[in-house]
Structures are given as structure tokens and as C-alpha cells.
Amino acid sequence: ELKVEQNPLFLSMQEGKNYTIYCNYSTTSDRLYWYRQDPGKSLESLFVLLSNGAVKQEGRLMASLDTKARLSTLHITAAVHDLSATYFCAVVYAGGTSYGKLTFGQGTILTVHP
Amino acid sequence: EPEVTQTPSHQVTQMGQEVILRCVPISNHLYFYWYRQILGQKVEFLVSFYNNEISEKSEIFDDQFSVERPDGSNFTLKIRSTKLEDSAMYFCASIFDMNTEAFFGQGTRLTVV
């Protein structure tokens, strides 16, 4: 069974600081996603990582994937208040017949304060 | 930009009642999903649907749940006899193929009282 674990689960950051959220998964995967969720809202796709070594950047967020280590990171640079949200990684199992099913991590609640 | 739409946005129902949650996936997408998120918890897979049949379902998706794509555009989730623990946000998602990202609807918040 595919397990996905994020850490930290809670992250309180000062504006302007940098930090990294980690996403570990337990079995082979060929796709990893990062989503953002604001309270009471839907899931907004941030990044799709398809191959080992993939790195994508959008604004103050950068995501990377190491399939050998089964690890993805979401790096936040110079945090601003608008980044406060819950961030989920989600993984698609590469083997068998998953039909694109996403297995989510627990989520990281990010709060950016002055 | 195409989007997945869900109705209603919020539904309150009495325990034991049937509910139907509706979704209109993106029109050229081929794979459809239902996920749920209990308040404050992670998003959990319920069921996937492809080629007019269920392709995979989780342990949560028991005999009380069913899905249907009745008319080629709507994708519905039915809960026959709701329980208190069915209270959650239910998300519909769709993808075009296995190499593309999943697009999520805005969710239906189901409250069972």
C-alpha cells in the first residue's frame, strides 16, 4: 500500500524567511503533485513532477522530485502572508492498475506572520 | 478555462437519508474520481471511474455508495443511507489521461445531522 508522509505538519514562518516542506512516499511512483488548499476551498494544482530530478518553480515556490529517494520537496523563498494555506503532496502509484488514483499526504498547514 | 463544477456547494441532510452529489467533469476528460476530506484531515480517495465503470474503489466506498455517469456529462455520487461520519467535503476530479494533472471541483460540503 502506498503511503505518503509530509513534514512538518505545521509550519509557522516569518515573512521573508525560507523553508522547505518534505514529502516522502513508500513505493514507486511516476507522478507527484503539489496542491494548495485555502480554508474551506478546493485544491489548486501547483506543480506536476513527472521524472527524477524534475524541478519546477512558480514565484516563491519551487518543487523538486528525487524518485530514487522517493522524496519531493517544496521550497518556499522569502515567504509572504499570501502563501498561508495548507499544502498537500499527492502521489500516483506506478505499478498495477491505479487508474490515476492520487494518494495524499497529511498536508502541511503553513502560516506566514509578520 | 475549463473547470470541474460540483453541485450543490453545501448540503445538509438527516441521518439515514439518501443524497446525490453532482459533478460535471471537464468535457474531454476520460477518467473521473471522487475524493473526500473530513474536516481538518487529509484528502482520501473514494472511487475512480473509466469507460463507464468503476476502475478502483477504496475501503470507504462500501455498499452505501454508488457512482453513475448517466448522460455523458454528469458524474454523480450517491450515498444511500447517510451516517454522521459521512459528513465531509466531497471533491470530484477528472483527468484527460494518465500523464496529465487532475483538476478538482470546488467541492460539496455534506453535513449529516
Side-chain angles (χ1 to χ4, degrees), chain A residues 12-18 60 77-84 111-114:
Chain A
S12 180
M13 292 179 67
Q14 266 194 315
E15 280 189 329
K17 298 290 189 186
N18 305 334
R60 300 173 188 275
T77 302
V80 293
H81 179 71
D82 285 352
L83 290 179
S84 297
T111 306
V112 181
H113 55 87

Side-chain angles (χ1 to χ4, degrees), chain A residues 4 30-31 33 35 37 40-46 48 50 86 88 92 97-107 109, chain B residues 6 31 33 35 37 40-45 48 50 55-56 89 91 95 97-107 109:
Chain A
V4 182
D30 55 10
R31 280 191 306 290
Y33 301 84
Y35 287 93
Q37 186 181 40
K41 303 292 185 184
S42 188
L43 296 153
E44 176 192 350
S45 177
L46 295 174
V48 181
L50 299 177
T86 300
F88 290 96
V92 177
T97 51
S98 73
Y99 291 94
K101 174 182 90 174
L102 292 171
T103 300
F104 283 80
Q106 313 96 306
I109 299 174
Chain B
Q6 290 184 242
Y31 299 81
Y33 309 85
Y35 293 84
Q37 185 181 31
Q41 297 187 23
K42 70 176 180 179
V43 180
E44 301 173 290
F45 168 78
S48 59
Y50 170 69
S55 45
E56 188 174 359
M89 184 77 99
F91 292 107
I95 63 173
D97 66 25
M98 289 294 121
N99 293 317
T100 55
E101 66 186 288
F103 288 86
F104 283 79
Q106 75 275 34
R109 179 168 297 286

Side-chain angles (χ1 to χ4, degrees), chain B residues 13-45:
Chain B
T13 188
Q14 291 213 323
M15 194 167 53
Q17 295 296 303
E18 174 183 287
V19 294
I20 297 177
L21 310 183
R22 292 186 164 78
C23 169
V24 179
I26 294 173
S27 62
N28 64 341
H29 283 192
L30 302 175
Y31 299 81
F32 314 109
Y33 309 85
W34 284 101
Y35 293 84
R36 80 169 186 192
Q37 185 181 31
I38 294 170
L39 187 63
Q41 297 187 23
K42 70 176 180 179
V43 180
E44 301 173 290
F45 168 78

